[in-house]
Amino acid sequence: MATSAGILVTSKSGLPVPEDAKEKKHHLPNGRFANPWPSWQDFNRVEAGKWAITGYFAGKWPKPEKDAIAVVKPQFEQSRTDVKELRATWLGHACYLVEFPGGFRALFDPVFCHRFVKPTPSCSPVQFMGPARFTKVPCEIEEIPIVDAVVISHAHYDHLDVGSIKRINAKWPEAHFFVPMNNKRWFKSLGIENCTEQDWWEDTEITIELKGKGTETESETTSTLSATVSNFPCQHTAGRTLTDLNATLWSSWGVTSGGKSVYFAGDTGYRAVPKVETGEDDYGEKYKDLPHCPAFKQIGDLRGPFDLGMIPIGAYSPRHFMSPMHANPYDSVNIFVDTKCKKALGMHWGTFILTDEPILEPPQKLRDALKAKGIPETGVFDVVATGESKVITEEA
């Protein structure tokens, strides 16, 4: 079995970027970041806070039934040489492990805690407040056989968990962390130096030197495995305390290895929707000209197509203040189309209760959205059970 002997990370240039990328409109003079598009509207945080607190203590948030979301034990390939096809395993919320042909493995937004809490600095099973996981963790971090890269979309607690990061670093001390701008210092505070931060449209090459035994002579052999990790825009916010709003960047990502590419949308909105009447379609004629985030089409036009997209479909209600930063399934399908993903899997639903849509509504609405777009309801943009793996082929 081949083992990792070292990891080299270098900047990669020459890939296409939008003409306006050099303007860095998302950088503010005060060192913070912003969404530079008309599709973004800042939401009323006081209103959002009142809604969250009132709903939580009044018991108005959805209450999942036991085993509402199926959980299965993940089945990972134990050896790099066993990975022949692109394979993605949903580990809950926005966490995916992706195995690339040839053996490179990337872990996205790992959160394995029972409960995440703001603004405390950790996620811990002993915490007694904050949104709790209502589906079991399908496996423990230590059960994953190989992790080469950990990709983080942003610093919100449901995407960046200090306990999970420490456990990952303890098991795979050579694994490299890829993070958006201004997040590296957080990792350094944990004693983690193997971290690269990237701005939108920046690319990095990671090369892994592998050592193993030859099949005939049993002499030591050396080979290399590589991947390109690309940072892309998305429409969101970031922060871990009451004073660091947007002091760190948020991103979506692309990873290419073994001739296959994936797009990880992270946590994102698509368009800002005003308050509408109950039952009114915010994609109807009245709202058809609302601006949508142009970054996704740029990503698809310049870097697509992607073999697989991992795209959020949940945490979207109440729509009038969630829509700028969280996609609903109709937005998700548009992101899928804009980014030119051949296949997609849903995420950001069925794990934590963050908003007030019914627990099982996101996949139901996803099927409706696909049908409305003329896309098959199954086999193209699917949802899987927590812990379930999906092999991504042209046919399936």
Side-chain angles (χ1 to χ4, degrees):
M1 180 182 293
T3 58
S4 174
I7 294 179
L8 176 66
V9 177
T10 57
S11 176
K12 183 171 184 176
S13 60
L15 296 176
V17 300
E19 293 183 3
D20 61 355
K22 66 180 69 173
E23 299 176 27
K24 296 188 180 296
K25 295 179 181 178
H26 58 296
H27 287 242
L28 298 178
N30 62 3
R32 301 199 177 206
F33 302 95
N35 295 288
W37 313 288
S39 55
W40 169 260
Q41 290 181 13
D42 207 1
F43 59 96
N44 187 322
R45 287 176 173 79
V46 173
E47 180 186 1
K50 287 180 179 179
W51 163 81
I53 293 170
T54 301
Y56 181 80
F57 287 106
K60 295 181 179 178
W61 284 23
K63 292 180 174 61
E65 296 180 7
K66 184 179 180 181
D67 301 325
I69 308 297
V71 180
V72 300
K73 190 73 173 178
Q75 300 296 316
F76 304 113
E77 299 291 359
Q78 297 299 310
S79 169
R80 293 184 188 276
T81 56
D82 292 335
V83 184
K84 307 297 184 185
E85 298 180 283
L86 183 64
R87 192 167 178 265
T89 304
W90 186 41
L91 299 175
H93 201 49
C95 181
Y96 269 94
L97 179 77
V98 178
E99 301 166 272
F100 291 83
F104 182 80
R105 305 192 195 198
L107 184 62
F108 295 85
D109 280 6
V111 173
F112 286 75
C113 62
H114 170 68
R115 188 188 298 273
F116 68 87
V117 182
K118 297 181 289 185
T120 61
S122 67
C123 299
S124 168
V126 301
Q127 298 285 358
F128 60 91
M129 293 183 63
R133 181 186 294 266
F134 67 86
T135 51
K136 296 183 297 184
V137 177
C139 69
E140 296 300 335
I141 288 171
E142 293 73 16
E143 297 176 76
I144 302 174
I146 300 170
V147 171
D148 297 308
V150 182
V151 181
I152 303 296
S153 64
H154 67 298
H156 282 159
Y157 281 78
D158 58 323
H159 295 257
L160 180 60
D161 168 33
V162 65
S164 299
I165 296 301
K166 287 179 176 179
R167 289 167 62 190
I168 290 166
N169 186 61
K171 182 172 182 184
W172 303 283
E174 289 190 337
H176 203 84
F177 293 84
F178 293 89
V179 301
M181 290 290 291
N182 289 3
N183 282 285
K184 184 174 181 177
R185 60 193 175 198
W186 185 87
F187 283 82
K188 291 187 73 171
S189 74
L190 301 180
I192 299 173
E193 298 289 341
N194 46 324
C195 180
T196 296
E197 62 180 20
Q198 295 175 221
D199 202 353
W200 291 350
W201 299 104
E202 289 184 344
D203 304 279
T204 298
E205 187 82 8
I206 176 171
T207 303
I208 304 168
E209 185 182 78
L210 302 173
K211 291 190 179 296
K213 292 291 186 180
T215 56
E216 295 181 3
T217 64
E218 292 301 315
S219 61
E220 190 175 78
T221 61
T222 302
S223 61
T224 58
L225 187 64
S226 65
T228 299
V229 181
S230 302
N231 186 295
F232 297 132
C234 66
Q235 182 170 291
H236 201 58
T237 64
R240 293 178 76 80
T241 71
L242 298 176
T243 61
D244 69 346
L245 178 64
N246 298 342
T248 58
L249 186 59
W250 49 95
S251 301
S252 62
W253 294 85
V255 179
T256 301
S257 184
K260 297 293 183 179
S261 62
V262 302
Y263 174 69
F264 178 71
D267 201 352
T268 187
Y270 187 70
R271 57 206 285 269
V273 175
K275 197 166 189 176
V276 302
E277 296 296 327
T278 302
E280 187 176 6
D281 180 10
D282 62 50
Y283 266 101
E285 184 68 21
K286 183 178 178 181
Y287 305 104
K288 66 181 179 63
D289 294 325
L290 288 178
H292 62 268
C293 181
F296 300 108
K297 190 172 188 307
Q298 289 180 324
I299 293 166
D301 288 347
L302 295 172
R303 301 296 184 88
F306 297 92
D307 295 289
L308 172 67
M310 294 161 281
I311 300 174
I313 64 170
Y316 49 77
S317 177
R319 186 91 162 117
H320 67 283
F321 60 75
M322 287 295 175
S323 61
M325 60 180 178
H326 284 168
N328 80 351
Y330 287 86
D331 299 326
S332 308
V333 171
N334 281 324
I335 291 170
F336 167 73
V337 172
D338 286 356
T339 52
K340 298 184 178 178
C341 294
K342 297 176 184 178
K343 301 291 174 66
L345 294 173
M347 62 180 190
H348 207 262
W349 78 284
T351 308
F352 296 105
I353 296 176
L354 304 177
T355 48
D356 64 12
E357 73 268 10
I359 299 296
L360 296 176
E361 184 179 270
Q364 295 167 355
K365 278 200 168 185
L366 176 62
R367 290 191 292 270
D368 294 341
L370 290 165
K371 184 178 180 180
K373 205 79 172 178
I375 300 171
E377 295 175 47
T378 59
V380 178
F381 190 160
D382 293 321
V383 296
V384 293
T386 306
E388 183 180 355
S389 299
K390 183 91 169 179
V391 174
I392 309 302
T393 65
E394 294 292 335
E395 297 79 21

